[in-house]
Amino acid sequence: MRLLKRLGLALFAVFFALSAHAQSGAPARETPSVVGVYLPSVSFEDSLSRARFAEGLAASLQASTGSPFRGRAFAAAAEFQAQVATGGLHFAVADAAFVLQGASFRPLAQAHLGGNPSRPMVLVVDNAELGRTIGDLAGRSLLTFDMGAREDPFIKNFVFQGQIGVDYFKRQKSVRDVQAALAHVRLGKAQATLAFEGGGGGLRVAFKSRPAPLPIFALCTDTVDAGLLSRVKTAVVSLSAPSPAFEGFGPYNVNASANSALRSALASGVGGGGTDLVFAAPNSTLPTVNSQAEATVAPTALGLPTAAELLTLPAPPPDVF
């Protein structure tokens, strides 16, 4: 009996040793890279849709690179930025304003729609404002989604090209994403908000800006293996990544006009109130002005006579003579 017991223990020891040797010789499982998604400008239907987009993007990267990926969607800027700061994310897809004002990001690709990496933004208003133009919205409540620490320069310098000050509207505290902002306008809790063209949820467009950069796919840590980084850079520009605002990614061009204009706008201060132009025509691009002296209010938008009319004597009534 003792002999059998000793023999059993010996066989177990041999089996254990062989198993340990086999496991030590097996390649270690690769740790998944994490791609984060923070897109407050994109009108996802709900949190589940946003999470599915992140998971689908990770699955596509995994299939294309042969390395494991995991996707994480973020609804709040603080949580996203904390994960970037602590190295919890390897790659990220985020609004251009966040990427271009954050030192932690290295742009690798840019979202596109129909091959175009930029798209105008629109100022949309609720049904009570039907027929109004931007000139009629002075002092009205403007609700924006989270645009980062440089929100005021983004609005004044980029969207309105320095011609309307940040105090032109009655500003409300920003909400977490464009979907929430649109809901507030529909419910009458705000009178206007900004969105990418085509993403205004059926609300009336009172103004259209110059093209704004679409979201950017970026590296956000220096711990990524060079081989994996090379495969990701090759893969991402051919991925299909359909969302409510774009359909995939293309090469990132640092000198693209929209990217250059946004970087310049974010780097500039907001200064005073701007020139407060009033525009008669909706859906129009702001005119380019070289100085405040050239920027004048359009009298016809206010129903006032022009300077020429003020200097001209009115014709007498027909029954004077």
Side-chain angles (χ1 to χ4, degrees), residues 232-312:
V232 168
K233 289 171 67 175
T234 300
V236 70
V237 295
S238 61
L239 290 182
S240 174
S243 84
F246 55 88
E247 58 194 10
F249 297 95
Y252 174 75
N253 181 0
V254 65
N255 295 317
S257 58
N259 290 330
S260 297
L262 180 55
R263 283 197 306 274
S264 176
L266 293 174
S268 302
V270 293
T275 58
D276 285 352
L277 293 185
V278 180
F279 303 95
N283 307 325
S284 60
T285 301
L286 285 163
T288 301
V289 293
N290 297 321
S291 68
Q292 289 194 7
E294 296 178 3
T296 56
V297 174
T300 53
L302 297 175
L304 300 176
T306 63
E309 291 171 337
L310 290 173
L311 295 175
T312 303

Side-chain angles (χ1 to χ4, degrees), residues 5-38:
K5 188 175 182 180
R6 287 177 182 176
L7 181 60
L9 290 172
L11 289 172
F12 176 78
V14 171
F15 175 78
F16 180 81
L18 290 173
S19 298
H21 176 73
Q23 289 178 8
S24 65
R29 180 175 295 179
E30 189 176 354
T31 302
S33 297
V34 183
V35 55
V37 171
Y38 181 58

Side-chain angles (χ1 to χ4, degrees), residues 202-225:
L203 294 173
R204 179 175 174 81
V205 174
F207 168 77
K208 182 169 71 174
S209 81
R210 55 182 167 175
L214 287 171
I216 295 173
F217 181 97
L219 174 72
C220 47
T221 179
D222 57 4
T223 62
V224 174
D225 174 77

